[in-house]
Amino acid sequence: MIADHIKNRGRYLNCHKNIAAALEYIARHADEPGLKDGTYPVIPDEVIVHVVTKDTHAREDAKMEIHKNFMDIHYIIRGGERCYMAPLAEEGAIDYDPETDNGFWDCADSCNVMIGEGEFYAVWPMEPHCPLCDVDGEPKEIRKIICKVNVEQGSLREAGTGLE
């Protein structure tokens, strides 16, 4: 997991072209007054942005999740949330749907991070996380940008990272 403020995005722009595109989209559009909830394909099949307004929830009301093909970058426009992390479960314990690239299961947490306005966190494929959790035990409305970013090995090779 990476957790940082969007003003520090330059640290991550050389990681991968799709990560750079997602972070630059966030930096350019997060403060737009007319930015509406919805889905925005930044690079079709590579970087998809979801702008959402949702209520946070108690950790015990949600399952841990993973994605096999895409990383998530969550940026908080308004409000705050906790994201919980855990070790990866045995594959048989995960209810994974390849159509949505989502897998869910119940498990104990190993740590959490609180993210506030102007901050983001990035979770890699196969990195268990539970987003949208309450900061102070009370549900609150938050507004955020979630970027689905393709960082599969083929595109990492294209980015010149040397991974094979």
Side-chain angles (χ1 to χ4, degrees), residues 38-130:
T39 300
Y40 303 88
V42 176
I43 302 172
D45 301 321
E46 297 289 319
V47 180
I48 310 300
V49 170
H50 303 281
V51 179
V52 299
T53 303
K54 293 188 169 204
D55 288 335
T56 59
H57 51 73
R59 167 61 186 99
E60 56 271 10
D61 293 339
K63 293 183 176 190
M64 197 60 63
E65 67 181 68
I66 55 113
H67 313 290
K68 290 185 178 182
N69 300 314
F70 288 81
M71 78 179 304
D72 278 358
I73 300 175
H74 294 244
Y75 172 80
I76 306 299
I77 297 172
R78 185 181 70 246
E81 73 175 54
R82 285 195 184 277
C83 180
Y84 288 81
M85 306 290 293
L88 186 60
E90 294 290 325
E91 194 164 345
I94 301 170
D95 181 20
Y96 180 76
D97 180 354
E99 291 295 316
T100 62
D101 191 35
N102 286 316
F104 297 96
W105 73 98
D106 288 315
C107 69
D109 309 316
S110 58
C111 63
N112 72 78
V113 62
M114 188 184 91
I115 303 295
E117 293 175 5
E119 297 175 327
F120 71 92
Y121 62 93
V123 290
W124 299 93
M126 302 304 290
E127 191 167 28
H129 59 289
C130 185

Side-chain angles (χ1 to χ4, degrees), residues 14-25:
N14 290 325
C15 293
H16 189 282
K17 65 182 174 75
N18 291 342
I19 293 170
L23 292 174
E24 289 300 323
Y25 181 93

